[in-house]
Amino acid sequence: MASFKAVRIDKTDSGSQAAFVDFDEADLMDGDVTVRVTHSTVNYKDGLAITGKSPVVRRFPMIPGVDFAGIVESSASPEFKPGDQVVLNGWGVGEMHLGGYAQKARVKSDWLVPLPAGLDAAQAMAIGTAGYTAMLALMALEKHGITPAMGPAIVTGAAGGVGSVAVALLKNAGYHVIASTGRPEEADYLHGLGADEIMTRKDFEGPVRPLMKERWAAGID
Ligand SMILES: NC(=O)c1ccc[n+]([C@@H]2O[C@H](COP(=O)([O-])OP(=O)(O)OC[C@H]3O[C@@H](n4cnc5c(N)ncnc54)[C@H](OP(=O)(O)O)[C@@H]3O)[C@@H](O)[C@H]2O)c1
């Protein structure tokens, strides 16, 4: 029986345990496309899954990896054919459905998108699910009619995974970008991504007085 290398998380008496194993191909879950995975990322959720620090894994054994990029090996879907380059983000992969920390993944064709032109698999996964999330946030702003002319955009957690991509995307979309960070030593990095101003998280700290929100709303200091 064919097997491939994978990280597998098994349930144990004390929680769960991750190990690098030979995974039997027959144990892959249902799906109409099988992908030879070439790249994945380390998302915060993957850290939680592998360390068992939070119960993000809903099925055992589990292969973690909430995203991957790779090449279609076989497909029963008219949407994809062998050799196509594809990307997957989310859909419960790595939590409920066997994920991307493996040489192979079998998934529903609906969950896959073609690798965008101009990106290779490594670049797509460097952007990763964190970058994808940042783009969803920008698209949500656009959907709600928010435009750069309405004022600056503040990105909190700016030096983090989602935040840093959000800074770059917002700048590219024409916003005046204010990056809020707890790590002012990352100012050069954030300016390099497109931040116009840096605010330290401390700027938001201080004693909160009773009814402060109501006072602000009424224009009282
Ligand atoms: N990554 C994803 O795929 C994904 C998907 C959906 C939702 N999310 C959510 O998006 C948020 C950011 O995720 P991430 O993956 O970018 O995580 P991350 O890389 O760990 O970044 C989180 C950032 O939050 C800031 N932060 C840390 N402690 C803070 C505190 N006490 N108060 C205020 N800010 C604090 C830090 O920013 P500085 O370094 O600038 O100080 C940190 O880098 C999380 O709420 C996560 O649940 C993430």
Side-chain angles (χ1 to χ4, degrees):
M1 186 59 70
S3 67
F4 56 87
K5 301 276 182 213
V7 175
R8 191 183 65 207
I9 303 174
D10 289 301
K11 199 166 180 51
T12 63
D13 289 343
S14 55
S16 64
Q17 172 119 34
F20 197 52
V21 300
D22 288 314
F23 197 95
D24 197 331
E25 201 168 329
D27 292 335
L28 278 173
M29 293 167 73
D30 284 349
D32 52 351
V33 181
T34 303
V35 179
R36 182 164 67 78
V37 177
T38 60
H39 297 77
S40 182
T41 74
V42 182
N43 192 277
Y44 192 73
K45 264 188 189 169
D46 298 321
L48 294 177
I50 289 172
T51 59
K53 281 194 174 155
S54 183
V56 294
V57 174
R58 303 294 167 84
R59 170 219 197 252
F60 293 95
M62 176 50 63
I63 297 175
V66 300
D67 51 23
F68 63 77
I71 297 160
V72 172
E73 196 176 85
S74 61
S75 171
S77 159
E79 300 295 319
F80 297 99
K81 59 179 187 321
D84 285 351
Q85 291 189 286
V86 289
V87 176
L88 181 146
N89 295 94
W91 297 104
V93 168
E95 299 171 76
M96 288 173 283
H97 191 97
L98 298 174
Y101 288 2
Q103 291 175 310
K104 256 178 217 196
R106 186 177 298 139
V107 295
K108 289 190 179 153
S109 50
D110 292 353
W111 301 347
L112 292 167
V113 290
L115 180 72
L119 285 183
D120 64 27
Q123 289 167 328
M125 284 296 107
I127 294 167
T129 300
Y132 172 71
T133 302
M135 189 65 202
L136 290 178
L138 175 57
M139 287 164 70
L141 291 180
E142 288 173 346
K143 190 177 161 200
H144 286 87
I146 309 289
T147 66
M150 292 174 168
I154 297 186
V155 179
T156 54
V162 177
S164 53
V165 179
V167 167
L169 289 173
L170 287 161
K171 181 65 182 175
N172 193 53
Y175 284 89
H176 180 89
V177 180
I178 303 171
S180 164
T181 181
R183 293 184 286 164
E185 67 274 19
E186 297 296 337
D188 287 349
Y189 167 67
L190 291 166
H191 281 308
L193 289 173
D196 297 288
E197 294 177 47
I198 310 291
M199 286 180 89
T200 71
R201 203 147 58 227
K202 283 199 165 52
D203 296 340
F204 293 105
E205 287 174 1
V208 176
R209 284 173 288 154
L211 301 180
M212 202 167 191
K213 245 165 62 182
E214 288 74 6
R215 289 169 66 91
W216 283 336
I220 306 163
D221 275 341

